[in-house]
Amino acid sequence: MAAKILLVTGDAAESLEVLYPYQRLREEGYDVHIAAPSRKTLRFVVHDFEEGFDTYTEKPGYTFPADLAFSEVDPGQYAALVIPGGRAPEYLRNDPELRKICKAFFDADKPVAQLCHGPLLTAAVGGLSGRRVTAYPALEPDMQAAGAEYQDAEVVVDGTLVSSRAWPDHPAWMREFLTVLRAKAPVV
């Protein structure tokens, strides 16, 4: 039986940041489940970088079904956690069920892949204190306030925690996460 990976997200997550790791991990042979505040069709967004804008732009993206609600998740059944970005982590970090889930992964030292604004969630559970991370560059002060050493790099690996800045870093992010994942939870 393939190892199970949990991907946590919600409405306004960045489309590519959900679907790329979802598909890449399935391609590798892992069983990936998407959890959200409730079982429903999630509405993602597209963040793009356009000339003349001081920050990214946002447009409607894909819709995709959540497999289960946070309240249905047993973290012990999963080998690793993936936390995509977009605006979703801003409000998801306030969900007590999701905070319990994330904390369980850090307490068990299981692999965690976080991207873009995803580290807002791991910061909310104290998972970044004393760690080296990267995130969307505008989050540098948030990462430092969470006790992390922020690095503006394509990918940062700190033990079982793998972080990247945004969807343009996907190849490096998944390459490094899969290296960690294969060592901790190989596909059988």
Side-chain angles (χ1 to χ4, degrees), residues 98-110:
L98 182 52
R99 286 197 309 266
K100 283 190 264 184
I101 292 166
C102 288
K103 187 167 177 356
F105 280 89
F106 279 96
D107 289 350
D109 196 34
K110 291 182 179 180

Side-chain angles (χ1 to χ4, degrees), residues 25-178:
L25 292 165
R26 289 187 67 213
E27 176 184 57
E28 194 71 20
Y30 290 97
D31 185 12
V32 184
H33 297 170
I34 295 179
S38 64
R39 284 184 191 228
K40 69 173 203 166
T41 298
L42 297 167
R43 298 176 188 283
F44 301 146
V45 298
V46 172
H47 286 164
D48 209 350
F49 305 98
E50 296 182 33
E51 191 174 330
F53 280 78
D54 292 330
T55 187
Y56 55 85
T57 61
E58 183 173 285
K59 299 167 187 74
Y62 292 104
T63 59
F64 207 79
D67 298 308
L68 63 164
F70 296 146
S71 62
E72 299 173 294
V73 172
D74 173 2
Q77 298 297 308
Y78 293 91
L81 177 66
V82 176
I83 307 170
R87 284 185 295 112
E90 291 177 21
Y91 71 90
L92 291 177
R93 64 185 165 173
N94 296 310
D95 187 301
E97 290 294 327
L98 182 52
R99 286 197 309 266
K100 283 190 264 184
I101 292 166
C102 288
K103 187 167 177 356
F105 280 89
F106 279 96
D107 289 350
D109 196 34
K110 291 182 179 180
V112 174
Q114 60 183 12
L115 182 70
C116 195
H117 284 71
L120 290 173
L121 180 55
T122 54
V125 300
L128 301 184
S129 183
R131 309 287 296 254
R132 291 178 301 105
V133 300
T134 193
Y136 189 71
L139 297 185
E140 180 176 357
D142 301 279
M143 299 300 95
Q144 291 169 340
E149 177 191 326
Y150 177 82
Q151 298 178 348
D152 186 10
E154 186 177 45
V155 64
V156 173
V157 179
D158 186 322
T160 56
L161 178 63
V162 180
S163 55
S164 281
R165 298 170 298 199
W167 61 260
D169 297 333
H170 275 163
W173 182 52
M174 277 293 106
R175 184 173 43 252
E176 294 301 326
F177 183 60
L178 282 166

Side-chain angles (χ1 to χ4, degrees), residues 2-13:
K4 292 194 279 188
I5 309 298
L6 182 66
L7 190 152
V8 294
T9 195
D11 288 327

